[in-house]
Amino acid sequence: MQTIWVLRFIGLFLMMSLILTQYIAAGVFGFLGTIAILQTIYFKKVGQTLTFNNDKTRGRMLQGGHSVWELTFENKGFPIWNGQLYLKFQDVVFPRYHKNVNHSDLIEVIIPFTIGTNEKITVQVPIEGKKRGLSSLKQLELTIPHLYGEGAVVLFYKPLILKEQMVYPSIHKLMDFRYPSALKPGAYEYKHSIFQDVFSPVGTRDYLQSDQFHHIHWKASARMQKFQTKVFTQVANESVMLILNVAHHYSIIADLEEKIETIASYADYFYREGIPYSLAVNVRSLGRSPYLFLPTGDGQVHRQKMMDILSILSKNDLTMPFKQMMIHMDMHENLPMVVIIFTHDYEEVAPFVTKWRLQAHVDLYGLTEVGGGQKWKKRALQNY
């Protein structure tokens, strides 16, 4: 609007200069008018062919870890000078170098932005993990100031922005604890097991009449001049199920962060030791189970799935009765060798603990009410 009024005044003075035969003044006003017209055309067209690469990406880091918001732009039209890029995202992460303005739970970052014609650039904003959770870009805005005079053109990116940063819970060192079962075959080396891994011979011994014929080590027998039998690694089954109750009465447990960090520490320990594990949380979910459930697995991919689930757990999640989840698990899930239950209410799980301990090692972790509600006992990690 201001440019239109400027053009009107320039046109008026240009006409007066021509009428009064002031050709030098008319040339000056004509030049200013040309600039104003070009600026009007520029700001009608600028940004129309500027594209943002909105490929879905998710960065992952621990609390205190570093990552970057990486934004790629490509411009096919007029160049953009002295622009300002405004980013808004949740305060799960915060910028490392840029000044920011905190609006409630959102952080705003302002970045200088310049891009030429037919140019492709990538803007990187270094960030640091502040707390466990998931942060996504909520707003992307570009302000282009007028080249001459006041005012600016503001461009908003309207589609949903698919850029996310996930901060994993803190991981603590745990004391060693293992409860392999000698009554089921598995992959854990356990000398008291009755099962052997026939693909992992570790030596030989003298042949006994009770030994199987196909276990004879013929090369060792020829060398020793008497029959030698292969000695195999004794193995046992070892697997763990982690069960978390996030509800206490009609609210979310107050020590949710502590429980999540503890479970993350267990998952990290199981990953390093190669122990298969699963997770069940009484948060409502769509799928095979009505609650959040991660099936048994191991390895790096399984660990990442576990950490992703723990990172997005929130006090705003819709929960289901813990007893209802335990009933469903008792009917539909096969118990592993070890079950670790994180709950504040022992009475809800007491029947299941009594039943499950007949076929698995069951531990409890949390504040457990005893003595008619007059005393609380903390079952800590070192108890395992």
Side-chain angles (χ1 to χ4, degrees):
M1 185 62 68
Q2 293 179 349
T3 305
I4 295 176
W5 281 103
V6 169
L7 282 173
R8 289 178 179 177
F9 279 111
I10 290 176
L12 177 62
F13 287 122
L14 177 61
M15 292 180 60
M16 292 177 61
S17 300
L18 292 174
I19 292 173
L20 298 174
T21 65
Q22 300 293 323
Y23 299 113
I24 295 178
V28 171
F29 287 121
F31 176 74
L32 294 177
T34 302
I35 293 177
I37 292 172
L38 291 176
Q39 179 173 270
T40 302
I41 296 173
Y42 173 78
F43 282 105
K44 283 185 177 180
K45 300 291 185 179
V46 69
Q48 289 185 358
T49 55
L50 177 67
T51 57
F52 168 61
N53 182 5
N54 195 24
D55 292 341
K56 186 174 182 179
T57 58
R58 173 179 287 182
R60 294 174 172 87
M61 72 190 92
L62 292 171
Q63 292 188 40
H66 298 160
S67 184
V68 293
W69 289 114
E70 191 169 272
L71 312 173
T72 301
F73 299 87
E74 186 173 5
N75 184 28
K76 297 293 185 180
F78 290 133
I80 298 174
W81 298 292
N82 300 323
Q84 287 186 322
L85 192 64
Y86 291 80
L87 308 179
K88 288 185 179 180
F89 49 87
Q90 287 104 331
D91 61 353
V92 170
V93 299
F94 63 95
R96 296 176 58 193
Y97 306 116
H98 295 80
K99 295 182 179 180
N100 62 82
V101 180
N102 200 339
H103 298 281
S104 182
D105 294 332
L106 293 179
I107 289 180
E108 182 182 80
V109 175
I110 304 175
I111 306 166
F113 185 86
T114 298
I115 186 171
T117 303
N118 295 324
E119 186 178 358
K120 185 177 183 179
I121 65 171
T122 298
V123 178
Q124 291 187 337
V125 182
I127 53 177
E128 182 176 344
K130 181 179 179 182
K131 59 184 180 181
R132 179 194 64 86
L134 181 66
S135 177
S136 57
L137 281 178
K138 291 297 183 181
Q139 184 173 329
L140 185 61
E141 175 185 322
L142 176 61
T143 300
I144 307 172
H146 283 177
L147 301 177
Y148 303 98
E150 299 180 355
V153 173
V154 181
L155 304 177
F156 294 93
Y157 190 78
K158 293 184 178 180
L160 179 67
I161 304 174
L162 305 178
K163 308 292 182 181
E164 297 176 335
Q165 295 289 340
M166 180 173 286
V167 180
Y168 285 165
S170 298
I171 296 176
H172 310 291
K173 184 177 180 180
L174 299 183
M175 298 178 62
D176 290 341
F177 80 99
R178 306 185 76 153
Y179 300 100
S181 172
L183 302 179
K184 291 185 178 181
Y188 174 62
E189 295 186 15
Y190 190 54
K191 66 179 181 179
H192 300 294
S193 176
I194 62 175
F195 297 96
Q196 297 177 335
D197 184 358
V198 296
F199 296 102
S200 299
V202 293
T204 61
R205 59 171 173 79
D206 290 343
Y207 175 79
L208 299 176
Q209 291 184 353
S210 58
D211 293 338
Q212 299 183 34
F213 187 74
H214 64 275
H215 285 172
I216 294 178
H217 195 299
W218 294 107
K219 291 185 179 179
S221 299
R223 185 169 58 252
M224 300 294 294
Q225 295 299 310
K226 57 181 177 180
F227 286 123
Q228 297 290 302
T229 301
K230 296 177 183 177
V231 177
F232 301 101
T233 302
Q234 292 175 282
V235 291
N237 185 289
E238 186 175 23
S239 55
V240 182
M241 176 181 289
L242 302 169
I243 302 175
L244 173 61
N245 179 14
V246 298
H248 185 53
H249 298 305
Y250 297 101
S251 62
I252 299 295
I253 56 177
D255 58 342
L256 177 63
E257 295 300 322
E258 177 187 339
K259 291 291 189 297
I260 289 177
E261 289 182 4
T262 303
I263 293 178
S265 301
Y266 273 105
D268 182 70
Y269 174 81
F270 298 149
Y271 162 71
R272 289 185 284 105
E273 296 295 332
I275 302 173
Y277 59 92
S278 59
L279 173 69
V281 186
N282 59 328
V283 169
R284 293 197 178 274
S285 176
L286 299 176
R288 185 176 66 90
S289 300
Y291 48 86
L292 191 58
F293 182 72
L294 177 66
T296 303
D298 58 7
Q300 177 63 34
V301 174
H302 189 72
R303 176 181 180 270
Q304 180 173 305
K305 291 180 181 178
M306 179 75 159
M307 291 299 183
D308 286 354
I309 290 175
L310 295 177
S311 298
I312 63 177
L313 284 179
S314 169
K315 292 186 176 181
N316 299 321
D317 289 332
L318 182 63
T319 62
M320 67 180 297
F322 188 59
K323 187 175 182 179
Q324 182 178 338
M325 183 184 79
M326 296 292 285
I327 293 173
H328 186 277
M329 293 182 63
D330 186 50
M331 296 175 60
H332 297 89
E333 300 298 336
N334 295 323
L335 286 182
M337 296 302 100
V338 180
V339 179
I340 305 177
I341 304 175
F342 298 79
T343 182
H344 287 70
D345 193 345
Y346 178 75
E347 293 182 358
E348 277 190 328
V349 298
F352 303 99
V353 172
T354 303
K355 179 180 178 181
W356 291 357
R357 276 181 174 167
L358 298 176
Q359 51 182 315
H361 180 93
V362 181
D363 276 336
L364 295 176
Y365 180 92
L367 291 173
T368 304
E369 190 173 3
V370 296
Q374 302 301 319
K375 184 179 180 181
W376 292 82
K377 182 179 179 182
K378 177 81 170 179
R379 298 180 184 267
L381 286 177
Q382 54 266 28
N383 290 341
Y384 301 130

